[in-house]
Amino acid sequence: MKQPRGFRGKYFSLAAILALSATITLANEATSFSETTKVTQNQEEYSEDEELTPPSEELSVAVISKRIKAKKSKVYSASKSSVSATNVTDNVSILTNEEMQLQGITTVKDALKSLPGISVTTSGGLGQTASVFVQGFSNQYLLVLVDGVRYNDPSNISGARLDTLLIDDIEKIEVIKGAQSGVWGANAAAGVVNIITKKAKPGTHASVGVEVGSYNTKTLSSSLSHRTHTYDLMLSYLRTTSDGFTSYMPKGGNLDDYEDDAYRSTTVNLKGGYWFDSNNRVEAGYHDINSLTNYDQVYQDANSKGSLDYRAKSGYLKYKHYVGKHLVESTLTQNKFEYKDLFATSGVNDAIGKTPSVEVKDTYKYGKNSMLVFGAYLEKRKVKYKKVGSNQEKREDNSKALFINNTYEYQNFVFSGALRYDKFSDYDNKLTGKFGVKYNFSPDLNVYANYGTAYKTPNIMDMIYPWWPGHSNFYLNPENIKSFNTGLEYKGLHVNYFNNRIKDKITWNNTTSQNENLKGTSILKGVELSYQKTLFEKLLVGANYTYTDAKDANGARLLKIPRYQMGINASYSLLKNVIISTNGTYVGSRKAYGEYETGRYFVANTKVDYSINKTWNTYFKVNNILDKEYQTTYGYATARRSFYLGVKASF
């Protein structure tokens, strides 16, 4: 019989008492949702100054716009509700579109690797497979959301495919590190990356941009939006093509000696909302990525022809109802991922993954900065796949969940707690949770600590493993994860210690040629340091350092994870309309399969932005300024020094 396991005893009691007692505390101070919907919520939806003049208690995030200034932000990912960042106990980072654009960042994976605690490996250039490691956890442990829709593909053993996500239509990225299964379920063992696309601004607006550069890379972006007090609509389009360069290349080789692996990608994003009245709103969105990636199909054969036709579609429909002190939301989501390997001679040449879901939740605001969120969630994972020369096969599973989480502010303390009970069709049921506390000594100084548990179920394809006949393993057990972090923030300085433990980690066994559970506990621990400061409204400087000690249950160092990594960035307003930005990353020792070294290198980039007027902006950027030859994945190429020129008009 399935038995709930995990977050028990004193942790269960503490979180449960916190959640229940908070529902009645400060009730007389509660702010009614319905009383303020038209006056605040609807007007905030419309206000030009919404992001420029938020409440003073929100956390500053460094941003540049002609002058360097502070920008405020709220965080949604930590609790399934919009909470001021100063009232989030978790280890959180926020990247805005403006920051990413000024640093010359093009893809989500490049944006993430600029943050402490995160490293990235790739198997070539644009569109090639990328792996993101968060505090030693690989992709499979990370939940990725795009406008609230899960981007994790059940037909892909590598987790969410971040190499096709470009940043042009993204408003901001929230990154919450540490076990978040108590809020989001099994996929959120390492944390959550919440990608929020741009929304319509008041009035009618349009933009168009063009970029050309090395490897015959061309990008066209455009958007059109309209927003009133009653409704809003946003449409964006992004087209990128590149001749690229070879994906496979032996270390020390010359890119010019090998054939190119081209990339084509089209992204369409449509979203909007409508207010029926001051208490009722409906929202809907559709996100579509269609790409074609050429790659080297045979390892160590740079001229072997492979071509992957990929389509990722996701959509959501959300209804919001404001009543009294409550916001009740019902959300339907659907994603669909389609892969077609056009020249496959073995293995899987066609796969489809789907994850439909429905969620109903209530956000109860019982204090100025205190909220209780509770609800229910249903999800299915569906996979269809076809091996070369075989008929299509399919498999699916499902899960149901009840969850409750709470953010409670008392004087200078902030408490957060979450509990989630998941009932799985194929695995033991599980109770997970998290508890966090923060103490704000002043607006410039705080300390925090968090503890959470997670339950990582096997991916369907981890069990089937259809690429190699006879290598399936349907006896894989879920992984149990415990996560702890603590840190402090002081005037732009952030120090964080993390300690993550994985029991029964799923890993590939070279002897049996199967995925198996590694008995014992793998330990991933380390320290993150980051600092960011604005000076004289002309200069932004930042730096970060991460040390990661990641070992499996046998004490062996985990592969592809750098022992330490450092990053630097700076942006300077040289003239009234000119900003110069630069960034660099140093990756320390990093071992690949076969004990090959893929670390010990420094890569720097730079960009110059020139605002011609309020409508026109142009820029020039150089990636890999030092023309460094390096590999993040052994045997796979990376771009050498490359140049890009772009222009954008906003109306």
Side-chain angles (χ1 to χ4, degrees), residues 214-289:
S214 297
Y215 309 111
N216 197 26
T217 301
K218 301 173 184 175
T219 298
L220 170 66
S221 62
S222 61
S223 67
L224 179 64
S225 67
H226 184 69
R227 185 167 162 188
T228 70
H229 284 286
T230 305
Y231 70 92
D232 52 275
L233 190 64
M234 178 79 178
L235 172 65
S236 64
Y237 171 88
L238 180 63
R239 173 69 174 171
T240 297
T241 65
S242 178
D243 288 349
F245 48 86
T246 181
S247 53
Y248 172 77
M249 186 181 73
K251 198 166 186 179
N254 187 335
L255 289 177
D256 294 333
D257 294 337
Y258 302 91
E259 51 83 37
D260 295 333
D261 289 319
Y263 176 67
R264 307 284 185 270
S265 175
T266 301
T267 302
V268 177
N269 191 38
L270 175 65
K271 62 191 298 187
Y274 178 78
W275 288 93
F276 294 101
D277 53 41
S278 60
N279 296 323
N280 296 279
R281 174 175 167 84
V282 64
E283 297 175 353
Y286 174 73
H287 193 264
D288 190 325
I289 299 176

Side-chain angles (χ1 to χ4, degrees), residues 74-277:
K74 290 189 174 184
V75 179
Y76 178 85
S77 314
S79 62
K80 287 181 179 278
S81 63
S82 186
V83 179
S84 170
T86 52
N87 290 319
V88 173
T89 65
D90 295 273
N91 179 15
V92 57
S93 299
I94 298 173
L95 284 169
T96 66
N97 180 271
E98 196 167 14
E99 289 177 283
M100 293 184 285
Q101 293 279 9
L102 283 168
Q103 291 296 332
I105 292 171
T106 302
T107 65
V108 168
K109 63 179 178 63
D110 288 336
L112 294 177
K113 75 178 181 182
S114 70
L115 298 175
I118 300 179
S119 62
V120 175
T121 63
T122 60
S123 299
L126 273 176
Q128 304 294 338
T129 303
S131 297
V132 176
F133 297 88
V134 179
Q135 295 181 343
F137 287 103
S138 59
N139 280 43
Q140 297 96 320
Y141 298 85
L142 185 65
L143 174 63
V144 178
L145 302 169
V146 178
D147 286 334
V149 183
R150 292 173 182 248
Y151 201 71
N152 295 67
D153 177 9
S155 69
N156 180 10
I157 62 172
S158 299
R161 190 175 176 189
L162 296 171
D163 44 272
T164 60
L165 286 170
L166 307 179
I167 63 97
D168 191 79
D169 68 338
I170 293 173
E171 179 63 32
K172 71 173 182 176
I173 302 173
E174 300 173 358
V175 180
I176 311 290
K177 286 172 279 188
Q180 303 295 319
S181 286
V183 179
W184 294 99
N187 290 117
V192 178
V193 172
N194 185 26
I195 298 169
I196 302 167
T197 62
K198 294 178 181 178
K199 62 182 179 181
K201 297 179 180 179
T204 302
H205 298 274
S207 69
V208 61
V210 177
E211 179 183 285
V212 295
S214 297
Y215 309 111
N216 197 26
T217 301
K218 301 173 184 175
T219 298
L220 170 66
S221 62
S222 61
S223 67
L224 179 64
S225 67
H226 184 69
R227 185 167 162 188
T228 70
H229 284 286
T230 305
Y231 70 92
D232 52 275
L233 190 64
M234 178 79 178
L235 172 65
S236 64
Y237 171 88
L238 180 63
R239 173 69 174 171
T240 297
T241 65
S242 178
D243 288 349
F245 48 86
T246 181
S247 53
Y248 172 77
M249 186 181 73
K251 198 166 186 179
N254 187 335
L255 289 177
D256 294 333
D257 294 337
Y258 302 91
E259 51 83 37
D260 295 333
D261 289 319
Y263 176 67
R264 307 284 185 270
S265 175
T266 301
T267 302
V268 177
N269 191 38
L270 175 65
K271 62 191 298 187
Y274 178 78
W275 288 93
F276 294 101
D277 53 41

Side-chain angles (χ1 to χ4, degrees), residues 25 27 77 190 252 260 301 480 628:
T25 306
S77 314
D260 295 333
D301 184 355
N480 289 275
K628 178 68 176 179

